[in-house]
Amino acid sequence: MFSGAQVSLYPMADDFVGVILGALGALDPFRDKLRIETDDISTLLFGAPEVLFPALRDLFVAASGSGRHCVLSATIFRVAAQASRTIRSAAPTRSADLPGHSARASKPPSPRCAARRPLASRRRRSSRSM
């Protein structure tokens, strides 16, 4: 059985990038047992649960070892048997190495998102209808 985790670190520090990149170094001992894909927002880890959970622990310990407040947000999932064969044979370790992905800046918000009404006006409207 394989499991996966989508992990994001949120250190409350001015040098948050350094804290995150330093913490990712804690995953080095697990690179031969896990498939690891890192992008600008999160890191995906795939592998056996008995390897995945110690890797998550070490990642958090490394990030919080800076002495600053740090949050680790993770979504953990079980990978289907068909997908586990693909994960085992896959070589890329960063999403930028995958077809259709690149290490580019994120896109600006779409005009549709920008045209939405502020939350406060939506609340006023819904309270009038009661």
Side-chain angles (χ1 to χ4, degrees):
M1 176 177 81
F2 275 83
S3 293
Q6 181 178 11
V7 182
S8 296
L9 285 171
Y10 302 100
M12 307 306 164
D14 291 336
D15 62 335
F16 63 93
V17 174
V19 173
I20 293 170
L21 293 177
L24 287 173
L27 296 176
D28 289 344
F30 301 97
R31 291 197 184 272
D32 60 335
K33 298 175 186 152
L34 293 174
R35 179 173 176 196
I36 302 171
E37 299 176 13
T38 299
D39 64 16
D40 294 338
I41 304 298
S42 63
T43 297
L44 290 170
L45 306 170
F46 299 99
E50 55 272 6
V51 178
L52 178 68
F53 288 102
L56 289 172
R57 179 200 58 221
D58 290 357
L59 178 65
F60 184 68
V61 167
S64 62
S66 66
R68 296 180 179 97
H69 178 76
C70 187
V71 174
L72 181 141
S73 175
T75 301
I76 299 170
F77 50 90
R78 181 171 181 259
V79 180
Q82 289 175 299
S84 68
R85 285 190 291 273
T86 304
I87 291 168
R88 255 185 254 165
S89 64
T93 58
R94 299 178 310 143
S95 59
D97 296 336
L98 298 173
H101 290 81
S102 65
R104 61 178 181 268
S106 61
K107 297 178 185 175
S110 69
R112 194 175 114 202
C113 292
R116 292 185 177 164
R117 291 190 317 255
L119 181 61
S121 66
R122 289 196 306 251
R123 285 186 183 146
R124 279 193 301 253
R125 186 173 185 208
S126 64
S127 64
R128 288 182 197 156
S129 62
M130 291 184 186

